[in-house]
Amino acid sequence: MRMEDQDLARLGRCLNGVPVLAVPTGSEAARIGLRRGDVVIAVNGVLTPDELVFNYARSLRDDALELEVVREGVTLRFVLGWEKVHQFDPMMLLDEVVASRFDVAF
């Protein structure tokens, strides 16, 4: 059953995180395994209760990106080292997550 965006927003608030509303096919977010309905609860070790903190946290590291997400009650951790990912743009990945939340492009 697909949750509506408003329900995902409510889930994000309950989990004190930022919900993923969409993951474009072929995107870096899709490649690492993020899914619609995931809730990002931390970026680079910083809890992300809202978009402001989310954006701050993504700027803290330049060697890797660490994401903690809750999916169906389970916390998952994704770590991407830039040297391991060919032509990976970390800001693009996080922009995809933020854009999916607001249905806008950066």
Side-chain angles (χ1 to χ4, degrees), residues 43-46 53-64:
V43 174
N44 292 329
V46 177
V53 178
F54 179 94
N55 287 322
Y56 163 74
R58 71 185 194 171
S59 70
L60 294 178
R61 291 185 64 179
D62 61 3
D63 63 329

Side-chain angles (χ1 to χ4, degrees), residues 55-94:
N55 287 322
Y56 163 74
R58 71 185 194 171
S59 70
L60 294 178
R61 291 185 64 179
D62 61 3
D63 63 329
L65 174 68
E66 293 182 43
L67 293 174
E68 284 185 53
V69 303
V70 174
R71 177 183 299 155
E72 298 176 358
V74 177
T75 301
L76 304 171
R77 185 170 179 233
F78 299 95
V79 179
L80 296 168
W82 308 154
E83 68 282 351
K84 296 179 183 176
V85 182
H86 179 65
Q87 296 180 341
F88 175 73
D89 181 352
M91 298 307 276
M92 187 172 175
L93 169 68
L94 290 170

